[in-house]
Amino acid sequence: MPGAAAFETGILYCDDNLNRMATLSSGSVDLIYLDPPFFSNRIYEVIWGDEAEVRSFADRWEGGIQVYISWMRDRAMEMRRLLRPGGALYLHCDPHASHYLKVMLDDVFGANCFRSEIVWKRTTAHNSAKRYGPVHDLILYYTSEPSGFTWNPVYQSYDEKYVASKYRHVDVHGRLYRLSDMTGAGIRQGDSGTEWRGYNPTSIGRHWAIPSYAAEKYFQKTGRNLEDLPFLARLDAMDEIGLVQWPRKPGGKPEMRRLLEDMPGVQLQDVWTDIDALNARARERLGYPTQKPESLLERIITASTNKGDVVLDPFCGCGTTVTVAHKMEREWVGIDISPTAVNIMDRRIKRIPGAASPKLIGLPSSVESLRKLKPFEFQNWVIQQFYGVNSKRKTNDMGIDGYTYLTHDPIQVKQSESVGRNVVDNFETAVKRDRSTSGWIVAFSFTRGAHEEVARARWEEKLDIKLVTVEQLLKPRSERRGPLWPEPATVTEIPLLTPRDPQDLPTAEELVANLRVASA
């Protein structure tokens, strides 16, 4: 059936999107929206210190713009293969590389499949040194075929100036309306060219022409079709339901009333100024640096898909596309290289009332796969097992990597074996400095001395330090010993934001510095 997926949907893949897209069936996707990393000298997509994204970013940048465009071309080729005939692609970018990307997409899709360059005014005016203030992003819209593609018109409300100039009349119910012609150009034979109630349009070289609005309004009010009546009787019916306005002077031309409340608005243009970027206090904000508002994706999905169609986001980030697609009853697939992002998306979708749990593929699920993770990725994975939040700083964190859910107990993460007494001793100092009385250390294994130090601290200093192995964390929660990490009462209690505050994201300099230390 149209819109049915040729592969399983409702899946979040943790993978390089080029590798993953190669496994999906050709001609199976109705809409692809992608918000790839911008070529703008800013490590935007690096969220929560996720090292997979740091590595990926470094790989794309080495070699400059041509390497970046080549990297994007490989993925665009796969996306073109995945789209159904008449499917659509929306690529979100900024002016740093938009012209390069458009030339590349013209080559991959064909210039005749280019539909629009959408300008999204994402921010208010601000000063910028020696140039005009940059306030917009660009969205390049292509279809897989030059015709026959899905298109559902989207409308915006009329602006106040337009309403004031056009809808200058008020009816007895206080509703605004404007007047429009009931005639068309040229003389006609038959009823449409005859006199009606003292006025003959032939006298001015025209004929009676009933707008579709009149038929819609008549059906709305009566439940009957206007076209079933003889032609002149249709004009009488329009008058009976209040659609005709007669001139004050006898013999003048009657006109039709169009109510403002019945008008859909102005059809959406290619400059969008009515959707604001997310501010720091927005309820849907997760702390992801380039998170897009849900209303932006609602507009794109509405215009280019119908219910049941398949939506793919190969750079899923924090999951806005798949979240909106789910709410709008579309099938969806999300791909992101970041384990942190995939876990955040999983929790975000579970918050949708009635939503089934997404299927997660590619996340680390064994001790060996966790050993291979880079330090930030491993740290994030551990802290998410506690439904916790990361500490404010990724480097120089004074021995505390994160905090547990609700109780905010300090967590220290060690990606090593045989963690000994000295680590526990140093962590005790960090816990005291944090004015806490309990904390957690996670590692692959601990020495006997570490356990002895925990016992001493509990007895002598009243500090409750818990040692947890990675193997314990991999067990289902029902099989874990003791009252460890009970599930929150409801899914909505699970914090989505990994940093303690949206403004506490690590800087690019901190991330790169830590990457260099880890690599060394």
Side-chain angles (χ1 to χ4, degrees), residues 182 195-198 208 210 218 224 226 229-244 246:
M182 294 169 56
E195 179 182 313
W196 177 66
R197 297 196 184 181
W208 296 114
I210 299 176
Y218 184 77
R224 299 191 299 272
L226 193 64
L229 301 175
F231 189 85
L232 294 182
R234 298 176 196 174
L235 299 175
D236 291 330
M238 289 173 56
D239 193 25
E240 289 171 7
I241 63 172
L243 289 183
V244 179
W246 293 91

Side-chain angles (χ1 to χ4, degrees), residues 398-409:
M398 308 304 290
I400 296 176
D401 298 312
Y403 294 85
T404 61
Y405 172 65
L406 284 182
T407 58
H408 264 68
D409 292 337

Side-chain angles (χ1 to χ4, degrees), residues 170-396:
V170 183
D171 68 8
V172 294
H173 302 290
R175 298 174 299 183
L176 294 175
Y177 68 92
R178 68 180 178 89
L179 298 176
S180 63
D181 206 341
M182 294 169 56
T183 67
I187 296 174
R188 296 287 188 271
Q189 302 299 318
D191 288 346
S192 66
T194 60
E195 179 182 313
W196 177 66
R197 297 196 184 181
Y199 185 82
N200 192 337
T202 303
S203 63
I204 58 171
R206 298 179 71 82
H207 65 279
W208 296 114
I210 299 176
S212 59
Y213 171 74
E216 294 167 2
K217 197 68 177 174
Y218 184 77
F219 184 82
Q220 178 185 336
K221 282 183 169 290
T222 68
R224 299 191 299 272
N225 293 320
L226 193 64
E227 292 80 3
D228 293 340
L229 301 175
F231 189 85
L232 294 182
R234 298 176 196 174
L235 299 175
D236 291 330
M238 289 173 56
D239 193 25
E240 289 171 7
I241 63 172
L243 289 183
V244 179
Q245 178 148 317
W246 293 91
R248 293 180 181 179
K249 295 182 180 180
K253 185 175 71 169
E255 295 179 285
M256 189 184 72
R257 296 176 177 179
R258 288 183 181 267
L259 293 172
L260 176 61
E261 65 184 35
D262 293 330
M263 297 299 104
V266 60
Q267 190 163 337
L268 190 64
Q269 307 298 296
D270 62 6
V271 177
W272 297 356
T273 61
D274 60 330
I275 297 177
D276 295 330
L278 295 178
N279 60 54
R281 298 183 180 276
R283 292 188 63 182
E284 63 186 82
R285 184 176 177 83
L286 305 178
Y288 187 83
T290 61
Q291 181 180 347
K292 302 302 182 291
E294 291 191 4
S295 54
L296 183 71
L297 273 300
E298 287 171 4
R299 175 169 292 177
I300 291 170
I301 292 173
T302 297
S304 292
T305 66
N306 298 307
K307 286 185 179 180
D309 283 353
V310 180
V311 178
L312 168 67
D313 188 340
F315 293 90
C316 225
C318 60
T320 300
T321 304
V322 296
T323 299
V324 174
H326 191 99
K327 291 178 179 179
M328 296 179 68
E329 300 181 47
R330 273 63 169 174
E331 302 295 321
W332 54 266
V333 172
I335 308 171
D336 201 278
I337 196 172
S338 162
T340 304
V342 171
N343 278 309
I344 294 297
M345 285 187 272
D346 176 42
R347 297 180 190 178
R348 185 176 181 182
I349 292 171
K350 286 177 180 176
R351 287 188 169 193
I352 302 172
S357 297
K359 186 174 182 179
L360 308 181
I361 295 179
L363 286 174
S365 57
S366 67
V367 171
E368 288 308 310
S369 63
L370 287 165
R371 289 185 199 277
K372 296 176 182 177
L373 289 181
K374 292 294 183 177
F376 284 154
E377 296 168 10
F378 179 73
Q379 178 178 303
N380 284 338
W381 181 87
V382 168
I383 292 171
Q384 285 182 332
Q385 301 309 300
F386 290 83
Y387 296 131
V389 293
N390 289 57
S391 62
K392 291 186 177 183
R393 298 183 62 83
K394 293 291 179 181
T395 57
N396 300 320

